[in-house]
Amino acid sequence: MSCLVMGIVNVTPDSFSDGGRHLDPEAAVAHGLRLRAQGADLVDVGGESTRPGSVRVPVEIEQERVVPVVYALSDAGAVVSIDTMNAGTAAAAIAAGARIVNDVSGGLADPDLLAVVAESRADVVLGHWRGHSREMYAEAHYRDVTREVVAELRERLEAAAAAGIAPSRVVLDPGIGFAKRGAQNWELLRGLPQLVGTGARVLVGTSRKRFLADALGGEVSEGRRDLATSVTSVLAAQAGAWAVRVHDVVATRDALRISDAWQNGTA
Ligand code: PMM
């Protein structure tokens, strides 16, 4: 199987999942290097929280946070993706060495983002999205969540192609938790092979998300969310995902290794 692991480096004071521990650029770089040493194939640097209800960050502040971190990690040899919805931040991060632009809005939040990617050599992750964090649950209405998400992501793939980005440079992401409520996320994950069936590479991000805690009965520790994440990541890999985006690289790497041993009949 060989599913890549993308480690998360949040450079935000308000990220729900790491408490903003990596706001200091040096600490963020050290964290990224640690994730790489733990086996992350990619490190994803983000300066704007997308947690439900979060407030937008001015683009200058986002760039101040992420650009030095992208530069230092790329300089150290890491393959860096920049988690941003802003064309300006994408351009600055690409100039600092980022090889992938990870846009949870699929190019919808900033109409210039796809053009920035097209002019570069970077790949792009296009997430399924229906609106900014503050309003996204108002858009969480689906008749058939998998069919609608796949159709809307196909449209984003076409928008990318129209902007001059070859489909081979695009990664699609179902946007777990983005304009989706608990059960819709599970239905969508069950339907993941349909997204893989588009022929595009697929990235799945379940790490520490609320729907995992809800499935375990409510408020659970970070450790239990990480264990749940390693299970969903293995299942995503088995469904054909190209990569999984996680906070706890050790747990997910171990889980993928054990699952590979099972499938190959040898460790
Ligand atoms: N989720 C978050 C942020 N960025 N990027 C991609 N491609 N896919 C995701 O599911 C995704 C993302 C929100 O989680 P965080 O605040 O813990 O990083």
Side-chain angles (χ1 to χ4, degrees), residues 1 22 29 42 45 59-60 79 92 104 123 125 131 137 153 163 175 179 181 187 206 223-224 226 251:
M1 182 173 48
H22 307 297
V29 172
L42 314 160
V45 177
V59 64
E60 309 78 50
V79 179
V104 297
D123 285 353
V125 178
Y137 289 120
L153 283 175
R181 298 181 189 280
E187 202 180 326
T206 58
R224 290 180 68 192
D226 282 334

Side-chain angles (χ1 to χ4, degrees), residues 10 16-17 50 83 102 104 125 173 178 203 205 209 245 247:
N10 279 324
F16 72 95
S17 36
T50 50
D83 188 345
N102 172 22
V104 297
V125 178
D173 185 321
F178 291 92
L203 171 68
K209 287 185 178 171
R245 180 181 179 278
H247 297 87

Side-chain angles (χ1 to χ4, degrees), residues 6-10 42-48 50 62 80-86 89-90 93-94 98-107 113 117 122-128 171-173 175 178 203-205 209 242 245:
M6 174 185 276
I8 301 170
V9 180
N10 279 324
L42 314 160
V43 284
D44 187 45
V45 177
E48 181 180 31
T50 50
E62 184 195 24
V80 176
S81 65
I82 175 67
D83 188 345
T84 188
M85 294 187 258
N86 293 312
T89 305
I94 290 169
R99 307 239 293 263
I100 303 171
V101 174
N102 172 22
D103 179 2
V104 297
S105 84
L113 186 131
V117 172
D123 285 353
V124 65
V125 178
L126 300 175
H128 178 261
V171 179
L172 299 179
D173 185 321
F178 291 92
L203 171 68
V204 178
K209 287 185 178 171
W242 166 77
R245 180 181 179 278

Side-chain angles (χ1 to χ4, degrees), residues 189-212:
L189 286 170
R190 188 180 56 179
L192 198 63
Q194 292 182 49
L195 186 56
V196 172
T198 61
R201 289 176 287 170
V202 171
L203 171 68
V204 178
T206 58
S207 194
R208 295 183 183 168
K209 287 185 178 171
R210 163 145 301 281
F211 81 112
L212 295 178

Side-chain angles (χ1 to χ4, degrees), residues 12-261:
T12 59
D14 57 347
S15 172
F16 72 95
S17 36
D18 71 5
R21 287 195 293 259
H22 307 297
L23 187 56
D24 167 11
E26 281 173 26
V29 172
H31 184 64
L33 293 176
R34 192 160 50 243
L35 295 181
R36 189 162 171 253
Q38 289 171 347
D41 304 286
L42 314 160
V43 284
D44 187 45
V45 177
E48 181 180 31
S49 174
T50 50
R51 62 181 286 194
S54 61
V55 180
R56 299 282 331 256
V57 172
V59 64
E60 309 78 50
I61 293 183
E62 184 195 24
Q63 290 181 28
E64 269 172 39
R65 288 176 181 173
V66 296
V67 172
V69 178
V70 169
Y71 182 82
L73 289 173
S74 302
D75 196 45
V79 179
V80 176
S81 65
I82 175 67
D83 188 345
T84 188
M85 294 187 258
N86 293 312
T89 305
I94 290 169
R99 307 239 293 263
I100 303 171
V101 174
N102 172 22
D103 179 2
V104 297
S105 84
L108 286 170
D110 184 335
D112 297 328
L113 186 131
L114 293 177
V116 164
V117 172
E119 283 164 21
S120 77
R121 295 174 61 183
D123 285 353
V124 65
V125 178
L126 300 175
H128 178 261
W129 186 85
R130 285 187 171 180
H132 288 288
S133 298
R134 276 179 171 282
E135 64 253 23
M136 66 180 170
Y137 289 120
E139 305 299 330
H141 299 293
Y142 302 87
R143 276 175 184 274
D144 178 336
V145 67
T146 304
R147 203 171 47 75
E148 290 172 49
V149 166
V150 171
E152 288 168 35
L153 283 175
R154 277 189 198 277
E155 285 173 16
R156 304 318 303 150
L157 197 57
E158 283 164 19
I165 305 169
S168 60
R169 292 169 64 197
V170 178
V171 179
L172 299 179
D173 185 321
I176 296 301
F178 291 92
K180 284 139 209 122
R181 298 181 189 280
Q184 293 165 339
N185 294 298
W186 291 114
E187 202 180 326
L188 185 52
L189 286 170
R190 188 180 56 179
L192 198 63
Q194 292 182 49
L195 186 56
V196 172
T198 61
R201 289 176 287 170
V202 171
L203 171 68
V204 178
T206 58
S207 194
R208 295 183 183 168
K209 287 185 178 171
R210 163 145 301 281
F211 81 112
L212 295 178
D214 289 345
L216 297 175
E219 289 307 316
V220 297
S221 66
E222 194 170 276
R224 290 180 68 192
R225 287 193 191 205
D226 282 334
L227 180 60
T229 301
S230 64
V231 175
T232 50
S233 294
V234 161
L235 294 169
Q238 288 182 358
W242 166 77
V244 288
R245 180 181 179 278
V246 300
H247 297 87
D248 185 342
V249 168
V250 172
T252 285
R253 259 273 155 257
D254 284 354
L256 287 170
R257 210 172 276 162
I258 296 303
S259 151
D260 280 350

